[in-house]
Amino acid sequence: LNVKRKGCDVLLNDPNKSPFQTISDPRFIEILAFADGTSQMSEGKGFRSRNTFTLETNNALAYTLQGLVELIKKLLSEDHQYVLPGIFQTDRLEGEFGIYR
């Protein structure tokens, strides 16, 4: 999901770094399986809380991944040739929070 420019897949010889270009991209299945797996994890309470996410983090991760998949599919169905999901980030926002702290 951290694809920010076209051609990284060729440069790094990694097909997972290619932009999303079709609605039937097999990476969607992997992303949604990961989202489903995290949503079914037990929440982090008690002695084992160091090795698990909190319920809020589980839900946030699952909803974010599902939302990204839907957003990419919507953009591809609206006449976009490809989608670079790495541009959907909050780095600048996080930088501003660092300044404020």
Side-chain angles (χ1 to χ4, degrees), residues 60-71:
L61 181 57
Y63 293 147
T64 300
L65 292 173
Q66 292 166 355
L68 275 173
V69 167
E70 292 303 316
L71 176 63

Side-chain angles (χ1 to χ4, degrees), residues 52-73:
T52 62
F53 294 134
T54 63
L55 179 62
E56 293 82 10
T57 303
N58 278 350
N59 290 339
L61 181 57
Y63 293 147
T64 300
L65 292 173
Q66 292 166 355
L68 275 173
V69 167
E70 292 303 316
L71 176 63
I72 293 168
K73 286 181 177 182

Side-chain angles (χ1 to χ4, degrees), residues 6-97:
K6 204 170 178 185
C8 286
D9 56 327
V10 176
L11 181 67
L12 300 173
N13 195 23
D14 184 0
N16 288 323
K17 297 278 187 182
S18 65
F20 288 88
Q21 296 179 320
T22 64
I23 294 176
S24 60
D25 193 308
R27 291 177 289 176
F28 290 139
I29 296 169
E30 295 174 26
I31 295 167
L32 292 174
F34 184 76
D36 187 48
T38 57
S39 66
Q40 294 178 8
M41 288 172 62
S42 61
E43 59 184 274
K45 287 188 177 178
F47 178 70
R48 297 178 185 236
S49 65
R50 295 183 317 160
N51 299 326
T52 62
F53 294 134
T54 63
L55 179 62
E56 293 82 10
T57 303
N58 278 350
N59 290 339
L61 181 57
Y63 293 147
T64 300
L65 292 173
Q66 292 166 355
L68 275 173
V69 167
E70 292 303 316
L71 176 63
I72 293 168
K73 286 181 177 182
K74 180 171 177 25
L75 290 172
L76 288 173
S77 68
E78 290 181 347
D79 199 33
H80 292 274
Q81 292 180 352
Y82 58 90
V83 177
L84 301 169
I87 62 171
F88 306 125
Q89 60 178 325
T90 60
D91 286 350
R92 296 187 62 82
L93 180 63
E94 292 296 327
E96 292 297 319
F97 284 142

